[in-house]
Amino acid sequence: MFFRLFSFVLSQMVWALAGYFLTFRDSPTTGILLGCIAGGLFWVVWDFTRGIRVLEWLRRGDTSLVAVSSGLWGEVADRTRRLIKLKNQKIQESDTRLQLFLSALQASPNGVVLIDASGRIEWFNQMASAHFGFEAKRDLLQHFGNLVRDPTFAAYYTEGNFNSGVIMPGRANSAIHPVRLSVHVHPYGDGRSLLLSNDVTALEQAEAMRRDFVANVSHEIRTPLTVLSGFVETLQTLPLSEAERFKYLDLMAQQALRMQNLVSDLLTLSRLDGSPLPGNTEWVSMRVVMRQLEQEAQALSNMLDLPMPDNQQLIFEVTPDIEISGSPSEILSAMSNLVSNAIRYTPSDGSIHVRLRIRDEGRVEFSVQDSGPGIAPEHIPRLTERFYRVDRSRSRDTGGTGLGLAIVKHVVQRHGAELKIDSATGHGSTFSIIFSPERVRIKPAAAVLPDMTVNA
Ligand code: ADP
């Protein structure tokens, strides 16, 4: 303000002095008066010019260049510049914060869609783009309801009751690869809404598997239980001869054994599900395992009471002294399941060949080859599913539970091994477990034998 007053007075004084000298002291009062007026006018024009420069500077919006540096206009320009700088800083800060929030939403494992008050998409993250097939360029500001046309979702969206979510198929859903999404709309602010989507395909599949499993177990137990209670009733109510009683008791024992086998297999599966992975410290001698398998096989083959004419031919190849690291009970259970299947599904005049061979790169293959009925190719991928059976009646008649190969697969996976099934209808089957070299230890004497045994 002082500068303004000072410049005004100075301008008048200079011009008054000029007026005084220009009139050559003939009429000093008039000269000074005219000079004062001219000085005032000059100051107004000068001040106006400075004001215009500040205005133009503001219009240009380039705050880096200073329009006027002194006086009232200088201060106006300076304060304006500082104010704009402060505002810009604040905008930048909130922009950074917004970007941080959006990055957090982007990192969310859920699909996130922000919808404005008129139902148009304002923003969505990559997961939502995968779930609904959105494209940023094409779909931003489009109406969400126009892009997602699933009838279940459409009914949910129009009804507007968002207390819970809704399950709908995802964009990539197909008959072979189902994709199920859980979608929940959360209203907020002034009519806006936040839509969260979550891929629940695996959850739904697990739930379906759990339901099937419970239904299968109930079914498997109900059948022998019904038969058992029928026999009990018969024994209680009918006068039976000694021979008949023995026959019924024998049948009852078979049903009880069937339930026992089922419970035992279920317990094995649950143990496999819940126990830690087998380590690499315990070594299992395959010589011992093969000897035990042979004894069990012989006993089972005799017990099955297969129709004549012949007994099954069981061949257990003499094995090199190999050790496999892992859980002894699991390894024995898996191998024993394969041998028992071969015996149960091979007719009495057939043969079963059990081998342990050293393969390339130090891998070891345990294989059970039978001359049984073989398995059609469409069944092979499903054999390891729980309760999946090709020959239902043969499985039941021979005490099968439908869980044997599921146990084998589990054990094989837990030991980092591979299960191979080679079979064709009418040409027998070969089930093999291939152990990786990390789990194999070959005793020095055995190391000389591999070629002989591989080609055997
Ligand atoms: P199960 O207790 O019924 O034998 P598994 O899981 O061990 O159950 O086997 C599943 C199905 O695979 C069996 O029901 C049977 O139909 C078929 N299968 C398994 N091993 C053989 C085999 N060696 N020869 C023919 N079919 C087999």
Side-chain angles (χ1 to χ4, degrees), residues 341 344-345 370 375 383 388-391 395 400-402 404-405:
N341 276 357
R344 287 167 42 234
Y345 295 103
D370 65 53
I375 304 160
L383 284 184
Y388 189 84
R389 291 173 170 114
V390 183
D391 187 344
S395 163
T401 58
L405 289 179

Side-chain angles (χ1 to χ4, degrees), residues 94-401:
S94 51
D95 206 43
T96 314
R97 222 171 305 146
L98 178 69
Q99 287 310 322
L100 271 175
F101 280 133
L102 292 182
S103 316
L105 291 178
Q106 199 63 269
S108 160
N110 292 335
V112 181
V113 185
L114 302 181
I115 299 172
D116 70 10
S118 50
R120 287 177 308 179
I121 300 172
E122 280 187 312
W123 186 88
F124 55 82
N125 69 355
Q126 274 169 5
M127 196 52 86
S129 155
H131 285 168
F132 300 107
F134 291 159
E135 256 180 48
K137 270 190 196 153
R138 190 191 59 199
D139 298 327
L140 275 180
L141 296 179
Q142 296 296 315
H143 279 270
F144 190 85
N146 290 347
L147 298 179
V148 180
R149 290 176 169 275
D150 175 68
T152 324
F153 176 78
Y156 166 76
Y157 198 53
T158 38
E159 196 185 317
N161 179 6
F162 301 134
N163 290 331
S164 59
V166 70
I167 304 281
M168 59 171 274
R171 178 70 167 205
N173 181 54
S174 71
I176 305 165
H177 295 293
V179 179
R180 306 282 295 162
L181 299 179
S182 159
V183 180
H184 198 161
V185 175
H186 302 269
Y188 73 97
D190 210 2
R192 291 162 184 273
S193 33
L194 166 78
L195 182 140
L196 296 179
S197 61
N198 186 14
D199 191 332
V200 290
T201 317
L203 256 175
E204 288 224 323
Q205 279 171 348
E207 180 56 21
M209 266 172 67
R210 194 192 62 77
R211 272 198 309 269
D212 286 354
F213 186 69
V214 172
N216 275 322
V217 171
S218 315
H219 176 76
E220 293 290 332
I221 290 200
R222 201 180 49 203
T223 317
L225 256 184
T226 314
V227 179
L228 253 180
S229 56
F231 287 143
V232 169
E233 208 179 309
T234 312
L235 284 174
Q236 282 172 335
T237 52
L238 292 180
L240 299 170
S241 67
E242 189 73 358
E244 283 172 326
R245 273 191 50 227
F246 269 124
K247 192 179 139 211
Y248 282 127
L249 284 171
D250 195 37
L251 290 170
M252 285 168 75
Q254 274 178 28
Q255 297 306 322
L257 184 72
R258 196 172 142 190
M259 285 197 287
Q260 233 173 8
N261 287 344
L262 180 68
V263 171
S264 154
D265 277 359
L266 284 172
L267 284 174
T268 307
L269 270 178
S270 116
R271 260 198 305 273
L272 290 174
D273 276 338
S275 59
L277 287 177
N280 251 336
T281 48
E282 206 168 352
W283 292 90
V284 188
S285 161
M286 283 298 112
R287 278 223 168 125
V288 176
V289 170
M290 289 292 268
R291 221 174 293 134
Q292 199 165 337
L293 287 177
E294 193 170 357
Q295 282 166 8
E296 282 178 13
Q298 209 71 55
L300 181 67
S301 180
N302 294 338
M303 198 182 80
L304 279 179
D305 199 16
L306 294 155
M308 297 300 278
D310 299 310
N311 273 336
Q312 282 174 335
Q313 195 187 355
L314 300 180
I315 305 159
F316 278 75
E317 227 166 67
V318 179
T319 59
D321 204 357
I322 293 171
E323 290 182 325
I324 304 277
S325 70
S327 155
S329 58
E330 289 183 24
I331 291 174
L332 181 67
S333 152
M335 293 179 171
S336 150
N337 262 308
L338 294 185
V339 175
S340 119
N341 276 357
I343 292 172
R344 287 167 42 234
Y345 295 103
T346 304
S348 62
D349 57 349
S351 64
I352 291 133
H353 211 125
V354 184
R355 294 187 185 93
L356 191 73
R357 295 185 286 188
I358 301 168
R359 288 305 215 169
D360 51 341
E361 294 165 10
R363 296 181 307 158
V364 160
E365 179 183 271
F366 168 83
S367 66
V368 182
Q369 183 183 11
D370 65 53
S371 62
I375 304 160
E378 67 269 23
H379 294 295
I380 292 179
R382 299 196 60 192
L383 284 184
T384 54
E385 284 177 23
R386 294 175 185 193
F387 297 111
Y388 189 84
R389 291 173 170 114
V390 183
D391 187 344
R392 215 157 258 281
S393 62
R394 176 115 187 125
S395 163
R396 293 225 168 94
D397 293 348
T398 54
T401 58

